[in-house]
Amino acid sequence: MDTAYILYDLEATCWRTRRPKRVEIIEVGAVLVNERFELESEFCAFVRPLMHPAISRFCTSLTSIRQADIDQAVLFDEAMEDFEQWMGVGKRRVIPMSWGEFDKRQLSVDAKLHGIDLDWLPAHVCFQEHFSKWKGSRDQIGLKNGLKEEGLKWNGTEHRAIDDARNMARLFAHVAPGIPSIQKLTRGPGDKVRRKS
């Protein structure tokens, strides 16, 4: 069974306010990198939030995601079904990877809100942690700085999930063959999204 590294990023609702609100995912962006460390395909989906469906001006200014992008978007559970089908969950070893732990936590929070289980999520790997340790840094290195250290330029729009995922995937394909801890990553075939009873 072949392995698919899923370099993914999320954008979520946000506000310029002192009183925090519950955030929800509004964009999922991902790039599939195969076991030869080649960029194979991309996934991008807007997601319509349940709790606070109106996108704040601050959120639009930060992410460039507009209300019109969200109004016709699918809900989280449908987005996850599309995402897992694209990843090939159950047909290959799927290793989801993000830059930091926020993405895994937010997927877990939104899955609970929508009453679904993401059985592939426990296989999540923090690429930032692997990269930072490999570089000998005591601190977590930011994605832009990581690219810069490897002589790669940032491409696209900041705070857009698909562009963050593309940049992360480029960095991953560039460095992963030389990172022993990445080489050791293994997991069995993932399971599908399950509705909670």
Side-chain angles (χ1 to χ4, degrees), residues 94-149:
V94 172
I95 303 177
M97 308 181 83
S98 67
W99 198 264
E101 294 290 345
F102 163 81
D103 306 271
K104 178 185 178 182
R105 287 195 304 268
Q106 194 59 45
L107 281 172
S108 181
V109 167
D110 281 26
K112 186 175 181 180
L113 176 64
H114 288 264
I116 61 174
D117 288 318
L118 304 176
D119 292 337
W120 43 268
L121 189 57
H124 174 270
V125 172
C126 178
F127 177 35
Q128 181 186 38
E129 183 177 332
H130 283 264
F131 180 81
S132 299
K133 285 182 178 177
W134 178 64
K135 297 299 280 187
S137 174
R138 292 184 179 182
D139 300 319
Q140 297 290 357
I141 299 171
L143 180 55
K144 261 191 166 180
N145 286 334
L147 287 161
K148 187 176 180 181
E149 286 193 19

Side-chain angles (χ1 to χ4, degrees), residues 9-28:
D9 187 71
L10 309 173
E11 296 303 330
T13 49
C14 53
W15 300 266
R16 191 191 296 276
T17 177
R18 291 183 179 179
R19 286 198 277 178
K21 298 180 183 180
R22 181 170 181 169
V23 304
E24 292 174 75
I25 295 164
I26 55 174
E27 185 192 10
V28 180

